[in-house]
Amino acid sequence: MIIILTEGTNLGTKSRDDGRAFDELRPLTIEAGVLERADGSAYLEFGGNKVLVAVYGPKESFIRRFQRPDRAYIRCRYNMAPFSVDDRKRPGPDRRSVEISKITAEALQPAILLEKYPRSVIEIFIEVLEAEGGTRCAGITAASVALADAGIPMRDMVVACASGKVNDEVVLDLSEVEDKDGQADVPVAIMPRSGKITLLQSDGSLTPEEFEKAVDLAVEGCQSISKVQKEALKNRYGE
Amino acid sequence: MNIVPEITRKSITDLINNQERADGRSLNDYREISLETDVISKAEGSARVKIGNTQIVVGTKSQLGDPFPDTPKVGVIITNSELLPMAAPEFESGPPDEHSVELSRVVDRCIRESRMVDLEKLCIIEGKKVRMVFIDLHILDYDGNLFDAAVLGAVAALLTTKIPKITLEGSEIVIDAENKESLPIRDKALMCTFAKIGDNMILDPSIDEEEILSARLSIGMTESGKICAMQKGGATPLTKEEIMSAVKLTEEKTKVLMEYLP
């Protein structure tokens, strides 16, 4: 399944490193149900990013101190393959992946009906097989599809996308080069039906006006990506 | 290891005693195999291998490093595997456990002892600088027989690996990232894994068969038919006859597996 998103309006924009318009996403494909053992799974390619997500649960939580008497908790692990980046990454968690795991769990949590499963755990494993800028957003978008594939009841999907500032211009969906050379990076996750924001980070320098523009652009990007998520689930399960 | 219901154990064993298997294969058949190479562009070599529903992505990367003091003239190959918690409900995150360590050591042995890669050609400055090639096995879906899939993927990744050209100008090491070259490959090796269930040895055990096997035997063989690695697993002994017939079958089956390689 290959879906190429909006060509972009290209009105009075400076050219970007890879020739995209300021509001143009990289090509995106999502496939649901790609793993045999996991309860739910999704594979996503977004530009040069390749991300695989598996979901297990809800199942009994064996770690007592994490158990909640009134709801399930989410255990999320974001991990990068050693061969996913230019210089080999040492296997195992580092400070960056621990932080991303935490904010990913928090971004997904509001959408999941955790109260249905007291004392349980829902495990989300995000594997970045290849990284090219924007892996945390790719991970959240794919995780949401994997959760749906696992049949976990949700209020809404969660979809994530970053915007940022490159060459003094606010643009959508930074590539790896733009992220490195850019002035700011704003990853945003939303629940597309309500438009509520479940993840927000900002790294760099923006005026409040630029920030507002960046958030608007990212939300717009999320809405387009949300359509691809739905397609992936329809392809797997029919209309 | 999971607890297997006695009824499952009995039905699988009865089938095999009857020369049949739950998925319809004969005792000496592989499940469907698929192999793609160059699947990760940031890796120097990569492969995605599937045997049945078992799925592994392998990536290779090279860098410069110091040789081991006892082998100053040869390069280094390091094999590492991660049994990702996504691959099976019983896998946990954390440092590699004994299964993961065994897997990477057996794959490493198969590749090293087959002398597949000419490690002396990976030496840059004797005793000071050599190339280190990392083979990372990323286990995505565990449905039995990781050994054969891992060796197949690792060998395919090595065969397609392109490393930057390195030249010496005086005492300066010049790394030319624009010009890539293949690894110095001399031979190829692959592995066949057998499980003893009931009175029979079966090839390519699935997850259900692996959970009830009484003994396991993995045999690595080069293209020229030399045995380069072996590993017996499971707490039940094997007879010499069982082992020799497995060796004989490996000769035949590695030839078939070779055809999947790029």
Side-chain angles (χ1 to χ4, degrees), chain A residues 61-114:
Chain A
S61 167
F62 294 109
I63 308 174
R64 285 280 296 278
R65 66 196 164 94
F66 291 147
Q67 257 186 28
R68 294 300 170 105
D70 57 341
R71 60 186 160 97
Y73 75 93
I74 299 172
R75 201 181 130 216
C76 180
R77 179 185 189 254
Y78 166 101
N79 182 50
M80 291 183 103
F83 45 76
S84 65
V85 281
D86 285 324
D87 291 320
R88 179 177 183 269
K89 186 197 163 292
R90 263 189 57 199
D94 52 19
R95 291 169 66 86
R96 177 179 170 276
S97 68
V98 170
E99 183 204 345
I100 293 179
S101 301
K102 176 178 182 285
I103 57 152
T104 300
E106 287 163 355
L108 294 165
Q109 188 165 322
I112 306 173
L113 295 169
L114 293 174

Side-chain angles (χ1 to χ4, degrees), chain A residues 36-37 85 88 130-131 176, chain B residues 42 61 136 138 141-142:
Chain A
E36 172 72 14
R37 297 297 301 280
V85 281
R88 179 177 183 269
E130 187 157 12
E176 186 175 39
Chain B
K42 287 214 169 139
K61 285 238 178 230
D136 283 291
H138 229 49
D141 211 353
Y142 169 51

Side-chain angles (χ1 to χ4, degrees), chain B residues 98-148:
Chain B
E98 56 182 29
H99 299 288
S100 174
V101 170
E102 185 189 28
L103 175 66
S104 40
R105 281 185 57 86
V106 170
V107 173
D108 184 72
R109 199 176 308 154
C110 196
I111 288 164
R112 183 184 309 276
E113 299 307 325
S114 67
R115 298 167 47 78
M116 171 178 165
V117 182
D118 189 348
L119 293 178
E120 284 181 22
K121 292 208 174 116
L122 298 183
C123 177
I124 311 284
I125 303 172
E126 188 181 326
K128 291 217 162 63
K129 278 286 171 255
V130 296
R131 288 193 208 248
M132 304 172 82
V133 179
F134 287 88
I135 303 171
D136 283 291
L137 304 163
H138 229 49
I139 317 300
L140 306 179
D141 211 353
Y142 169 51
D143 197 31
N145 197 7
L146 290 178
F147 286 98
D148 298 4

